[in-house]
Amino acid sequence: MSLHSPWRADFPGILALETEHQTYLDSAATAQKPQSVIDAITGYYLHGAANVHRAQHVPGERATRAFEGTREKVSQWLNAPDPAQIIFTHGATEAFNLLAYGLADVFQAGDEIVISAAEHHANLLPWQQLALRKQLTLRVLPLADDGQIDLQQAAEVVGPRTRLLAVTQLSNVLGGWQPLARLLELGKAHGAITVVDGAQGVVHGRHDVQQLGCDFYVFSSHKLYGPDGVGVIYGEAQALKQLRHWQFGGEMVRSATFESAEFNPAPLGFEAGTPPISSVIGLGAALDYLSGQNPTAIAAHEAALHKALLAGFSQYPQVKILGQPEVALVSFVVDGVHNADLAHLLTEQGIAVRVGHHCAMPLLKSLGQTGAIRVSLGLYNNGNDLMRFFNAFDQALELLQ
Ligand SMILES: Cc1ncc(COP(=O)(O)O)c(C=O)c1O
């Protein structure tokens, strides 16, 4: 397999792993970072760290400019109308917790929250716990056999009692796009607040939040070739006004006395305390890096990896792929073989894949599985990586079957 990646050389992490004979196929968990991201983070420390939004001094202004520059870049990346509609959190998980806490007041007992059967725990548990606290009903959209949310059944579940609809754009297990436009239309037709988990979707192609028309769109930097420690919430302007402040402290407040306080609106009102400055700056560098690449070439490479991965698996009748993956993110089980045994043998041969329930236990259960092995590729993966994987897979199966 040729499948050359012209981007590979930009990612020192993948090259370092290669010299260790490690084949990294776990980018859906977290991606490797380009040199420019690493340089941006170290540059911030090497040239003098400073806190943001607080100081008049030169390093403080420089840090603030870089930090707010990332907000603008994220806003452009998602085509948000205004950078002020971008809130930084410490990750996607924190973003969902912020939303579940911040929106609590809009619900009345008996209201319904609708999620899908494909959700990561991050877009399930905050809503489940809110529902328990506020006596709401959590309803779950079932999936059709191909792993897509069943739109016919969705039309029966989403209704006038639906106060919020929170769905994934691309499942971290199934690797297929959900029919988001139709789902969001359905939710909005019933006046529901709509939340999209873009943690995996954001990595593949560009997504325009205005075109999507969702109220909130969430993702984590570290899957999009940026550093960990920072997540993003895009909020539609009116929807943001419904959010109650959730963490209290420095910088989120306009004025404070011992008796009361007046809070800032979004975004600063939801970024209490010192934010993850270096990570936000690193995210800005990741977006610069991606913006500097040819999107058609990236899409073609990812499509070729996806095709080669599926073609490889098609040689094994005993392999069952979960759902119908549309990107190079494939979860599978092998008839008669225990996932943990297979994963162990792959690990022994230097293949870094993910095994387990992928933080989506209810999804795995609904598919009749307790776990699966997931292979997920980034733009730096190449044909050699796939060859190494399938060689190791062959050897493991020889031992296990
Ligand atoms: C679909 C999906 N949603 C949410 C998350 C949570 O992201 P984080 O762990 O960065 O908070 C993940 C992470 O794996 C994910 O794949």
Side-chain angles (χ1 to χ4, degrees):
M1 285 178 230
S2 68
L3 280 180
H4 169 72
S5 164
W7 301 280
R8 192 173 178 94
D10 298 336
F11 289 80
I14 202 87
L15 300 176
L17 287 171
E18 191 174 350
T19 62
E20 249 187 82
H21 306 292
Q22 290 293 319
T23 304
Y24 189 74
L25 306 175
D26 197 15
S27 293
T30 199
Q32 302 301 324
K33 322 303 173 199
Q35 184 67 51
S36 56
V37 168
I38 299 165
D39 289 345
I41 297 166
T42 50
Y44 161 70
Y45 290 115
L46 286 172
H47 297 120
N51 215 325
V52 291
H53 304 134
R54 292 157 170 78
Q56 299 276 315
H57 51 64
V58 169
E61 274 191 13
R62 193 161 53 211
T64 304
R65 224 178 309 119
F67 183 91
E68 288 304 321
T70 298
R71 205 187 300 279
E72 273 183 45
K73 287 169 195 172
V74 173
S75 156
Q76 280 164 17
W77 187 258
L78 298 176
N79 193 30
D82 186 341
Q85 290 171 249
I86 302 297
I87 297 172
F88 292 125
T89 62
H90 293 88
T93 301
E94 190 183 78
F96 289 113
N97 280 279
L98 184 161
L99 291 177
Y101 189 90
L103 291 169
D105 291 345
V106 308
F107 294 95
Q108 288 174 354
D111 281 349
E112 294 179 355
I113 295 175
V114 176
I115 59 165
S116 87
E119 300 313 315
H120 186 282
H121 294 163
N123 192 31
L124 154 61
L125 300 182
W127 306 118
Q128 176 197 79
Q129 295 302 307
L130 173 66
L132 290 171
R133 272 200 323 273
K134 301 264 305 185
Q135 293 163 310
L136 313 174
T137 304
L138 184 72
R139 301 193 66 184
V140 181
L141 301 175
L143 307 183
D145 290 342
D146 60 3
Q148 283 216 338
I149 296 167
D150 185 321
L151 284 169
Q152 256 180 358
Q153 295 202 55
E156 286 161 28
V157 174
V158 178
R161 300 244 59 181
T162 309
R163 198 71 194 89
L164 185 135
L165 172 68
V167 284
T168 185
Q169 186 176 25
L170 184 97
S171 153
N172 62 310
V173 177
L174 305 170
W177 296 101
Q178 292 298 346
L180 207 51
R182 304 273 300 279
L183 287 165
L184 294 175
E185 232 169 71
L186 183 63
K188 284 194 293 185
H190 291 285
I193 298 169
T194 53
V195 177
V196 174
D197 178 355
Q200 297 292 344
V202 76
V203 181
H204 305 282
R206 292 285 290 265
H207 305 286
D208 179 328
V209 287
Q210 295 189 68
Q211 205 171 23
L212 279 177
C214 54
D215 290 314
F216 296 101
Y217 185 91
V218 167
F219 74 91
S220 267
S221 148
H222 68 94
K223 295 184 200 286
L224 189 60
Y225 307 105
D228 46 37
V230 57
V232 166
I233 300 177
Y234 152 78
E236 188 277 328
Q238 293 310 312
L240 281 173
K241 291 195 178 132
Q242 294 185 283
L243 277 182
R244 182 174 69 175
H245 293 89
W246 82 309
Q247 285 185 347
F248 303 91
E251 289 308 304
M252 56 78 64
V253 72
R254 241 184 213 149
S255 66
T257 65
F258 283 117
E259 290 76 32
S260 66
E262 193 196 338
F263 304 125
N264 276 318
L268 294 191
F270 297 89
E271 296 175 3
T274 298
I277 302 167
S278 61
S279 292
V280 167
I281 291 172
L283 169 59
L287 294 179
D288 285 343
Y289 175 81
L290 291 170
S291 306
Q293 312 306 318
N294 175 348
T296 316
I298 292 183
H301 181 64
E302 289 190 346
L305 289 173
H306 167 245
K307 199 168 151 210
L309 192 53
L310 290 186
F313 279 125
S314 71
Q315 305 302 310
Y316 303 86
Q318 66 275 50
V319 166
K320 180 180 163 42
I321 288 175
L322 307 186
Q324 289 183 1
E326 294 171 87
V327 300
L329 185 169
V330 175
S331 301
F332 67 95
V333 292
V334 181
D335 260 358
V337 170
H338 200 285
N339 293 321
D341 295 339
L342 178 53
H344 176 71
L345 291 175
L346 291 173
T347 303
E348 275 198 336
Q349 296 176 82
I351 304 295
V353 290
R354 176 94 185 265
V355 62
H357 53 65
H358 308 288
C359 302
M361 279 175 155
L363 169 61
L364 269 293
K365 192 169 175 205
S366 75
L367 298 171
Q369 308 291 341
T370 50
I373 296 185
R374 183 182 70 189
V375 176
S376 60
L377 309 180
L379 56 86
Y380 35 69
N381 286 115
N382 61 19
N384 268 344
D385 293 336
L386 290 185
M387 198 176 66
R388 285 199 205 101
F389 169 74
F390 281 113
N391 284 343
F393 190 52
D394 273 339
Q395 298 210 10
L397 289 190
E398 254 178 48
L399 284 170
L400 293 171
Q401 286 184 328

